[in-house]
Amino acid sequence: MALCNFNTPRLASSPLPFPSSSSLVKPPNSTRSCFIFPNKISNSASFFVRSMSTSNESEDNINEKDPSYPTKPKSRLSEQSSWDAKDPEGNDYLYRLGKEADNMNISVGARAGVIDDLFVGNFLGRDSDIVFDYRQKVTRSFQYLQGDYYIAPVFMDKVVCHIVKNYVAHRLNIKVPLILGIWGGKGQGKSFQTELIFQAMGIEPIIMSAGEMESERAGEPGRLIRERYRTASQVVQNQGKMSCLMINDIDAGLGRFGNTQMTVNNQIVVGTLMNLADNPTRVSIGQDWRESDVTNRIPIIVTGNDFSTIYAPLIRDGRMEKFYWQPTHADITNVVHRMYEKDGISIDEVERIVNTFPNQALDFYGALRSRTYDRSISKWIDDIGGIENLGNKLLKRRKDEKLPVYVPPTQTMEALLESGYSLLREQRLIMETKLSKEYMKNMDE
């Protein structure tokens, strides 16, 4: 028995020729149902069609026999389109089309060779998306790191070992943590030394900051982390280069300090990182799971100052390997000596500077050297015409006009020590002079 639907309210019961006894006819927007069965009276191969109305339609059929009853307008062709057809789950054609589309990257939608050249045009060049090349380059290069730098051996061993273990995790019969958490005091060179190691190993990392852990849209930071992770996987797969995901100052974005409010995005980011640590090769950014969609395992390195403020299950053993970085006196001396080596400062003079200003972070000695340039820069400003002409000289000069040559100052122990004592006074003033208490006397301690 076969079912069919028609739009005509009354169906003829005369025999109709039909080529097959098991065909299903289903025109769009059908409201009537009928049964088709063989005609046992006639010897010819014919079928009888009998229309059957539901109880809700009986009243309409009676009224339609009345000549005074207004006739219903026929449905428009657009209303009978298959675009409006629903699947068994109630989804229309457009919904299924969008769900089944594999390429959801709108950045390549208007590029030459992807769509017809008629729509791309030449008025913006061959590509309508003029910033495509810049948007796609999310990996970090280190051309700005020029010169010789000192990397602490303990620091290098820890970072290199973590990266290598994750790339050969499938060969090891051990549980390898995906995340390496480097924590310690401020300005101790955690991020900078990690970047030096990336440069030495030829790694193209993707570096994020704590400022990307929050957004005005719920779920956006978690999705961003998964997208960056998959991008690092594509660097490994498509370019044949090692990659890594690095998040700087993670405790500033996810840590709880005092009465800090926990947001939905904080929870989603923590859950995303925990999920990556547990399933590093199955990462989704919203599309349906496919068996062939396997992501390369990408090591994650995070830096921070106090990991005790982070959600404890995220930093547990097995997910995150912790490494407390506190440079020794020898490490600080070697790093500062490489910094001052071009200035002709000997290792003994560097050790004297380090002993004069103990308990200082590594960035203190970089700021100390930077402050010795202040006087020479002031003299250079006078040489180009003073502060009145500074903007015109720097930004509006002609192409053939050259600025006066800047001569760096000659570094001496006296100048370096003077700069160091000046920085030390500023540190003490900040800690001792708390003007907020003067301005807000009712503020609690």
Side-chain angles (χ1 to χ4, degrees), residues 277-298:
D278 296 338
N279 302 282
T281 60
R282 301 289 287 173
V283 183
S284 170
I285 55 175
Q287 78 278 11
D288 290 339
W289 290 110
R290 295 193 299 265
E291 291 297 329
S292 59
D293 187 11
V294 177
T295 308
N296 293 288
R297 184 186 180 105
I298 300 298

Side-chain angles (χ1 to χ4, degrees), residues 260-279:
T260 304
Q261 182 180 3
M262 192 72 170
T263 67
V264 174
N265 278 326
N266 294 150
Q267 296 172 340
I268 292 176
V269 168
V270 169
T272 298
L273 291 174
M274 291 169 61
N275 180 259
L276 288 176
D278 296 338
N279 302 282

Side-chain angles (χ1 to χ4, degrees), residues 183-288:
W183 66 288
K186 56 181 176 64
Q188 299 291 4
K190 299 181 291 293
S191 300
F192 184 67
Q193 288 198 98
T194 305
E195 292 182 358
L196 291 175
I197 295 174
F198 290 158
Q199 185 191 39
M201 296 180 65
I203 295 177
E204 279 200 12
I206 296 178
I207 299 180
M208 301 179 63
S209 67
E212 297 175 278
M213 301 292 103
E214 190 54 78
S215 173
E216 66 274 9
R217 294 185 294 272
E220 188 67 23
R223 181 184 178 88
L224 180 62
I225 290 176
R226 294 193 298 272
E227 287 179 346
R228 298 285 175 84
Y229 187 90
R230 289 178 64 92
T231 302
S233 173
Q234 292 173 1
V235 171
V236 176
Q237 180 177 352
N238 300 334
Q239 302 182 23
K241 297 181 179 179
M242 299 177 68
S243 187
C244 177
L245 178 62
M246 183 175 181
I247 305 176
N248 286 319
D249 305 311
I250 190 173
D251 55 335
L254 301 181
R256 298 187 185 184
F257 303 92
N259 297 323
T260 304
Q261 182 180 3
M262 192 72 170
T263 67
V264 174
N265 278 326
N266 294 150
Q267 296 172 340
I268 292 176
V269 168
V270 169
T272 298
L273 291 174
M274 291 169 61
N275 180 259
L276 288 176
D278 296 338
N279 302 282
T281 60
R282 301 289 287 173
V283 183
S284 170
I285 55 175
Q287 78 278 11
D288 290 339

Side-chain angles (χ1 to χ4, degrees), residues 9-69:
R10 290 180 292 275
L11 300 174
S13 59
S14 59
L16 299 174
F18 210 78
S20 174
S21 61
S22 60
S23 300
L24 180 62
V25 182
K26 194 175 182 182
N29 293 338
S30 57
T31 59
R32 302 296 195 275
S33 61
C34 63
F35 294 98
I36 303 176
F37 50 89
N39 182 6
K40 298 182 180 179
I41 299 175
S42 175
N43 295 329
S44 61
S46 60
F47 290 85
F48 278 101
V49 180
R50 179 176 297 172
S51 174
M52 300 181 62
S53 301
T54 60
S55 60
N56 295 332
E57 297 172 339
S58 59
E59 184 179 353
D60 295 338
N61 293 336
I62 295 173
N63 293 334
E64 288 176 359
K65 295 178 181 180
D66 187 359
S68 62
Y69 185 80

